[in-house]
Amino acid sequence: MGKKDGKVSVQGPFRRINIYVAIFLITFLLILSYISNPYDQILGNEIIDNEADKTTGEPGNYNILFAITSTVGAIRQRRLLREALFGIKNNLEPCMFQDGNVYYKFLIEPYKSVERGKLRDFTAEVVEYDDIKEFPNLSDQKFQENILQWAQDLGANKDINYNYLVIINDKALVNLKKLQQVLEESINGNVLTQTQKRRLVWGSFMTEDADDMAIILGRDAIAPILNSKNSIKIVNSNFTNPITRAFQYYQEYPNEADLYLVNDEIGIVEFPNAVENVSIEKTIAVGRVYLEDDMRDLVEHLSIPKTLICHPRNDPSKLNIAIITSSFVYDNLCMLPAARITGDNKRGYAQRNGYSFVGRSAEFTQQVSKKRKTVWGKFDAIEKVLPHYDWVFWLDMDTVIMNYNVTVEGLFEKFAEIVGGWEEFEKKHLIVARPVHDVMINAGVFMMRNSQWSRDFLRIAQNRRDLYLGHMYEQHAMWDLIREPDWAPGTLWLDQDDRTFNTFPSRYIHGDFVVHYAPDGCPAKPIIDAIGKMKLLEINPDMKITLDHKMDH
């Protein structure tokens, strides 16, 4: 049928051709995985609406696969969209596995180079939020095709199941609740059959440069578009996106399509520079919003509810534990190749054992304003995270968890035996080790209880201004405190201990928990090597390995 009231609907068969699938090669990047844990459900005083966010069945089943295209340097835009759409204001209580009705990812456009500072900040963001997917920088593969291939592969590999793929860019807003209601009820007054929903291609496809603001595809529409991208005629050479070209072609040749096409210039609109000009009743998505203030005003104007992507899980019988580390990469970028992989090593441990994983960089960045060495950011980060958990387990970035089978709860049982029972262990608030031959404790690995004792301890240690710029910094402050009569009883000090945690590479033996690459140079290469060996041990636990300690200088 022809165009009417801003929409076109046609149906017919697609032809199939081969497509070259690019394999994304990034050195040192691990595969990301997830388990359950809650995000904050409140943003300011606004309670997140979760009526439309109930799971569609078993974990891994979603109504919407939500892809937000972005550029490597658009960190502020991603932060704004996390908060505006999902209520994610920070990562203090991270979502370890998305189990809501919407599964989202930021998809980063291919890039050849990036400024050093942005690359460092982007790396920290990847570690902290675990919601970013990068694509290969290949000249013969278009970005939108990569997105379609990625979405198709997720379904084909049974990674996740979904009904619709929704694509927007980071300059667009979409009301996910309203979108799902429209999909369930009718589009522009037309009630769709289940077959039409599966074959849906919906967007604003007739205005140049506006065809990537928001696109909604039924799950069965993806493969036909990919398979026919080289066989269709180009109706308008000014449009380059394969989805738009498919739409325009099958609008002209309706008998060849097996899709349900909807051109929508009413519900999907370009921002008209004033929020008052955006229809509250009709608008589903707004694109080309370039100012942050406009984006925030639109969220309020359209009353866009926050979509719950993780359901809270509160088990009163289980301790709430966070694995916390630095995601901050120093200016020399020494640890840049290893930052993501060591973050994933710790995230994987948390996922395996039901803990939260929290990477923090902001507290390290702010140390220049406090006029002290960057490493003091560790205390700031712990003070920020500690109130959200029963215990936090701090691990420096240059540590590697070699044995996922060692649990924090298991260690607590061991510690209770050491101190004479659980009643005595309840009096312990800091657990730290002094390795063999070390003159003081090693603050690269320690555990801390959420208690007034711990808060007071950190506050006093933070006031050691004489150590801000030298003399082992925060480690020396801890060492001095735990030997004082007021603080020694609350500390479980594992003296001359290389086995419980904080093992060094040269002292590693099979079964050790954590290996600390305390650097005399750059530890990136040996850390990557150690994590590779750790993954081999996961496959073959009896494998014999050694951990070389060869640093770059």
Short mmCIF file of all heavy atoms in Angstrom, two decimals, residues 50-88:
data_model
loop_
_atom_site.label_atom_id
_atom_site.label_comp_id
_atom_site.label_asym_id
_atom_site.label_seq_id
_atom_site.Cartn_x
_atom_site.Cartn_y
_atom_site.Cartn_z
N ASN A 50 8.53 0.39 37.20
CA ASN A 50 8.94 -0.94 36.73
C ASN A 50 7.75 -1.80 36.30
O ASN A 50 7.88 -3.00 36.15
CB ASN A 50 9.75 -1.67 37.80
CG ASN A 50 8.97 -1.88 39.09
OD1 ASN A 50 7.78 -1.66 39.13
ND2 ASN A 50 9.67 -2.31 40.12
N GLU A 51 6.60 -1.17 36.10
CA GLU A 51 5.43 -1.95 35.68
C GLU A 51 5.66 -2.59 34.31
O GLU A 51 5.19 -3.69 34.05
CB GLU A 51 4.20 -1.05 35.63
CG GLU A 51 3.59 -0.78 36.99
CD GLU A 51 3.16 -2.05 37.70
OE1 GLU A 51 2.45 -2.86 37.09
OE2 GLU A 51 3.55 -2.25 38.86
N ALA A 52 6.37 -1.86 33.43
CA ALA A 52 6.59 -2.38 32.08
C ALA A 52 7.89 -3.16 31.98
O ALA A 52 8.30 -3.55 30.91
CB ALA A 52 6.60 -1.24 31.07
N ASP A 53 8.53 -3.40 33.14
CA ASP A 53 9.86 -3.98 33.11
C ASP A 53 9.93 -5.37 33.72
O ASP A 53 10.94 -5.77 34.27
CB ASP A 53 10.83 -3.05 33.86
CG ASP A 53 10.88 -1.68 33.23
OD1 ASP A 53 10.79 -1.62 32.00
OD2 ASP A 53 10.97 -0.70 33.98
N LYS A 54 8.84 -6.09 33.67
CA LYS A 54 8.86 -7.44 34.20
C LYS A 54 9.48 -8.38 33.17
O LYS A 54 9.26 -8.24 31.98
CB LYS A 54 7.43 -7.87 34.55
CG LYS A 54 6.81 -7.00 35.65
CD LYS A 54 5.35 -7.34 35.87
CE LYS A 54 4.73 -6.41 36.90
NZ LYS A 54 3.29 -6.64 37.07
N THR A 55 10.24 -9.33 33.64
CA THR A 55 10.91 -10.24 32.72
C THR A 55 9.89 -11.02 31.91
O THR A 55 8.78 -11.30 32.36
CB THR A 55 11.80 -11.23 33.50
OG1 THR A 55 11.00 -11.87 34.51
CG2 THR A 55 12.95 -10.51 34.15
N THR A 56 10.30 -11.39 30.72
CA THR A 56 9.40 -12.10 29.82
C THR A 56 9.47 -13.61 30.03
O THR A 56 8.82 -14.35 29.31
CB THR A 56 9.78 -11.78 28.36
OG1 THR A 56 11.15 -12.12 28.15
CG2 THR A 56 9.57 -10.31 28.08
N GLY A 57 10.24 -14.06 30.97
CA GLY A 57 10.37 -15.49 31.20
C GLY A 57 11.63 -15.78 31.97
O GLY A 57 11.95 -15.12 32.95
N GLU A 58 12.38 -16.76 31.52
CA GLU A 58 13.62 -17.12 32.17
C GLU A 58 14.68 -16.04 31.92
O GLU A 58 14.57 -15.26 30.97
CB GLU A 58 14.11 -18.47 31.64
CG GLU A 58 13.14 -19.62 31.92
CD GLU A 58 13.65 -20.92 31.33
OE1 GLU A 58 14.70 -20.90 30.69
OE2 GLU A 58 12.97 -21.94 31.53
N PRO A 59 15.73 -15.98 32.78
CA PRO A 59 16.81 -15.01 32.55
C PRO A 59 17.38 -15.16 31.15
O PRO A 59 17.57 -16.27 30.64
CB PRO A 59 17.84 -15.41 33.62
CG PRO A 59 17.02 -16.02 34.70
CD PRO A 59 15.92 -16.75 34.01
N GLY A 60 17.64 -14.03 30.51
CA GLY A 60 18.13 -14.04 29.14
C GLY A 60 17.05 -13.77 28.13
O GLY A 60 17.34 -13.65 26.94
N ASN A 61 15.79 -13.67 28.59
CA ASN A 61 14.68 -13.35 27.70
C ASN A 61 14.27 -11.90 27.92
O ASN A 61 13.99 -11.49 29.05
CB ASN A 61 13.49 -14.27 27.97
CG ASN A 61 13.80 -15.71 27.61
OD1 ASN A 61 14.59 -15.97 26.72
ND2 ASN A 61 13.18 -16.63 28.31
N TYR A 62 14.22 -11.13 26.84
CA TYR A 62 13.93 -9.70 26.93
C TYR A 62 12.92 -9.32 25.85
O TYR A 62 12.86 -9.93 24.79
CB TYR A 62 15.20 -8.87 26.74
CG TYR A 62 16.32 -9.27 27.67
CD1 TYR A 62 17.25 -10.25 27.29
CD2 TYR A 62 16.45 -8.70 28.92
CE1 TYR A 62 18.27 -10.63 28.14
CE2 TYR A 62 17.47 -9.06 29.78
CZ TYR A 62 18.38 -10.03 29.40
OH TYR A 62 19.38 -10.42 30.25
N ASN A 63 12.15 -8.28 26.15
CA ASN A 63 11.28 -7.75 25.12
C ASN A 63 12.09 -6.91 24.13
O ASN A 63 11.90 -7.00 22.93
CB ASN A 63 10.17 -6.90 25.74
CG ASN A 63 9.06 -6.58 24.76
OD1 ASN A 63 8.75 -7.39 23.88
ND2 ASN A 63 8.48 -5.41 24.89
N ILE A 64 13.03 -6.09 24.67
CA ILE A 64 13.78 -5.17 23.82
C ILE A 64 15.27 -5.36 24.01
O ILE A 64 15.78 -5.37 25.15
CB ILE A 64 13.39 -3.71 24.14
CG1 ILE A 64 11.98 -3.41 23.63
CG2 ILE A 64 14.38 -2.73 23.52
CD1 ILE A 64 11.49 -2.02 23.95
N LEU A 65 15.99 -5.51 22.91
CA LEU A 65 17.44 -5.37 22.86
C LEU A 65 17.71 -3.92 22.46
O LEU A 65 17.39 -3.52 21.35
CB LEU A 65 18.04 -6.34 21.86
CG LEU A 65 19.53 -6.17 21.53
CD1 LEU A 65 20.40 -6.32 22.77
CD2 LEU A 65 19.96 -7.17 20.45
N PHE A 66 18.27 -3.14 23.36
CA PHE A 66 18.36 -1.69 23.20
C PHE A 66 19.80 -1.31 22.92
O PHE A 66 20.67 -1.42 23.79
CB PHE A 66 17.85 -1.02 24.47
CG PHE A 66 17.70 0.47 24.39
CD1 PHE A 66 17.38 1.10 23.20
CD2 PHE A 66 17.87 1.25 25.52
CE1 PHE A 66 17.23 2.48 23.14
CE2 PHE A 66 17.72 2.62 25.48
CZ PHE A 66 17.40 3.23 24.28
N ALA A 67 20.07 -0.85 21.70
CA ALA A 67 21.42 -0.49 21.27
C ALA A 67 21.52 1.02 21.14
O ALA A 67 20.78 1.63 20.37
CB ALA A 67 21.73 -1.16 19.93
N ILE A 68 22.46 1.60 21.89
CA ILE A 68 22.67 3.05 21.84
C ILE A 68 24.03 3.31 21.21
O ILE A 68 25.07 3.00 21.81
CB ILE A 68 22.63 3.67 23.25
CG1 ILE A 68 21.36 3.24 23.99
CG2 ILE A 68 22.73 5.19 23.17
CD1 ILE A 68 21.37 3.59 25.47
N THR A 69 24.04 3.83 20.00
CA THR A 69 25.31 4.07 19.33
C THR A 69 25.97 5.31 19.92
O THR A 69 25.31 6.28 20.29
CB THR A 69 25.12 4.25 17.81
OG1 THR A 69 24.38 5.44 17.56
CG2 THR A 69 24.40 3.05 17.22
N SER A 70 27.30 5.26 20.00
CA SER A 70 28.03 6.34 20.66
C SER A 70 29.45 6.39 20.13
O SER A 70 29.88 5.49 19.39
CB SER A 70 28.01 6.12 22.18
OG SER A 70 28.53 7.23 22.87
N THR A 71 30.16 7.43 20.49
CA THR A 71 31.57 7.55 20.12
C THR A 71 32.43 7.39 21.36
O THR A 71 31.96 7.57 22.49
CB THR A 71 31.85 8.92 19.48
OG1 THR A 71 31.48 9.96 20.38
CG2 THR A 71 31.06 9.07 18.18
N VAL A 72 33.69 7.08 21.17
CA VAL A 72 34.56 6.75 22.29
C VAL A 72 34.66 7.90 23.29
O VAL A 72 34.76 7.68 24.50
CB VAL A 72 35.96 6.32 21.78
CG1 VAL A 72 36.66 7.46 21.07
CG2 VAL A 72 36.82 5.78 22.91
N GLY A 73 34.60 9.14 22.81
CA GLY A 73 34.77 10.28 23.70
C GLY A 73 33.50 10.81 24.32
O GLY A 73 33.55 11.75 25.13
N ALA A 74 32.35 10.21 24.00
CA ALA A 74 31.06 10.74 24.46
C ALA A 74 30.70 10.21 25.85
O ALA A 74 29.61 9.69 26.08
CB ALA A 74 29.97 10.42 23.46
N ILE A 75 31.61 10.35 26.79
CA ILE A 75 31.42 9.80 28.12
C ILE A 75 30.31 10.52 28.86
O ILE A 75 29.48 9.90 29.55
CB ILE A 75 32.74 9.85 28.91
CG1 ILE A 75 33.78 8.95 28.23
CG2 ILE A 75 32.54 9.45 30.36
CD1 ILE A 75 35.18 9.06 28.81
N ARG A 76 30.25 11.84 28.72
CA ARG A 76 29.21 12.61 29.42
C ARG A 76 27.81 12.25 28.90
O ARG A 76 26.86 12.15 29.69
CB ARG A 76 29.46 14.11 29.23
CG ARG A 76 30.67 14.63 29.99
CD ARG A 76 30.87 16.12 29.74
NE ARG A 76 29.74 16.90 30.19
CZ ARG A 76 29.62 17.41 31.41
NH1 ARG A 76 30.57 17.20 32.30
NH2 ARG A 76 28.55 18.13 31.74
N GLN A 77 27.69 12.06 27.59
CA GLN A 77 26.38 11.69 27.04
C GLN A 77 25.92 10.33 27.56
O GLN A 77 24.75 10.14 27.88
CB GLN A 77 26.43 11.67 25.51
CG GLN A 77 26.51 13.03 24.87
CD GLN A 77 27.96 13.44 24.60
OE1 GLN A 77 28.87 13.12 25.37
NE2 GLN A 77 28.17 14.16 23.50
N ARG A 78 26.86 9.38 27.63
CA ARG A 78 26.50 8.06 28.15
C ARG A 78 26.10 8.13 29.62
O ARG A 78 25.16 7.46 30.05
CB ARG A 78 27.64 7.07 27.94
CG ARG A 78 27.85 6.70 26.48
CD ARG A 78 28.82 5.55 26.31
NE ARG A 78 30.19 5.90 26.62
CZ ARG A 78 31.04 6.48 25.78
NH1 ARG A 78 30.64 6.79 24.55
NH2 ARG A 78 32.29 6.73 26.13
N ARG A 79 26.82 8.95 30.38
CA ARG A 79 26.47 9.11 31.79
C ARG A 79 25.06 9.68 31.93
O ARG A 79 24.27 9.24 32.77
CB ARG A 79 27.50 10.02 32.47
CG ARG A 79 27.29 10.17 33.98
CD ARG A 79 28.33 11.09 34.59
NE ARG A 79 29.67 10.55 34.41
CZ ARG A 79 30.66 11.20 33.80
NH1 ARG A 79 30.45 12.41 33.31
NH2 ARG A 79 31.86 10.65 33.70
N LEU A 80 24.75 10.66 31.09
CA LEU A 80 23.42 11.29 31.15
C LEU A 80 22.34 10.28 30.78
O LEU A 80 21.29 10.21 31.45
CB LEU A 80 23.39 12.49 30.21
CG LEU A 80 22.20 13.44 30.26
CD1 LEU A 80 22.59 14.81 29.73
CD2 LEU A 80 21.00 12.91 29.49
N LEU A 81 22.56 9.50 29.75
CA LEU A 81 21.54 8.54 29.31
C LEU A 81 21.35 7.41 30.31
O LEU A 81 20.22 6.93 30.50
CB LEU A 81 21.90 7.98 27.94
CG LEU A 81 21.71 8.96 26.77
CD1 LEU A 81 22.26 8.38 25.48
CD2 LEU A 81 20.23 9.32 26.60
N ARG A 82 22.44 6.96 30.95
CA ARG A 82 22.28 5.94 32.00
C ARG A 82 21.34 6.44 33.10
O ARG A 82 20.47 5.72 33.57
CB ARG A 82 23.63 5.59 32.62
CG ARG A 82 24.55 4.76 31.77
CD ARG A 82 25.75 4.29 32.56
NE ARG A 82 26.76 3.70 31.68
CZ ARG A 82 27.84 4.34 31.25
NH1 ARG A 82 28.06 5.59 31.65
NH2 ARG A 82 28.70 3.75 30.45
N GLU A 83 21.56 7.69 33.48
CA GLU A 83 20.75 8.26 34.54
C GLU A 83 19.32 8.52 34.07
O GLU A 83 18.35 8.18 34.76
CB GLU A 83 21.38 9.56 35.04
CG GLU A 83 20.62 10.21 36.18
CD GLU A 83 21.29 11.47 36.68
OE1 GLU A 83 22.42 11.77 36.23
OE2 GLU A 83 20.69 12.17 37.52
N ALA A 84 19.17 9.10 32.87
CA ALA A 84 17.85 9.49 32.39
C ALA A 84 16.97 8.29 32.07
O ALA A 84 15.77 8.29 32.37
CB ALA A 84 17.99 10.37 31.15
N LEU A 85 17.54 7.26 31.46
CA LEU A 85 16.74 6.13 31.00
C LEU A 85 16.63 5.01 32.02
O LEU A 85 15.60 4.34 32.10
CB LEU A 85 17.32 5.57 29.69
CG LEU A 85 17.30 6.53 28.49
CD1 LEU A 85 17.98 5.89 27.30
CD2 LEU A 85 15.88 6.96 28.15
N PHE A 86 17.70 4.79 32.79
CA PHE A 86 17.74 3.63 33.68
C PHE A 86 17.91 3.97 35.15
O PHE A 86 17.90 3.07 35.99
CB PHE A 86 18.86 2.69 33.25
CG PHE A 86 18.86 2.36 31.78
CD1 PHE A 86 19.92 2.73 30.97
CD2 PHE A 86 17.79 1.70 31.21
CE1 PHE A 86 19.92 2.44 29.62
CE2 PHE A 86 17.78 1.41 29.85
CZ PHE A 86 18.85 1.78 29.05
N GLY A 87 18.09 5.24 35.48
CA GLY A 87 18.28 5.62 36.87
C GLY A 87 19.64 5.24 37.42
O GLY A 87 19.82 5.16 38.63
N ILE A 88 20.60 5.01 36.54
CA ILE A 88 21.94 4.61 36.97
C ILE A 88 22.78 5.87 37.18
O ILE A 88 23.32 6.43 36.23
CB ILE A 88 22.61 3.69 35.93
CG1 ILE A 88 21.73 2.47 35.66
CG2 ILE A 88 24.00 3.26 36.40
CD1 ILE A 88 22.18 1.64 34.48
#
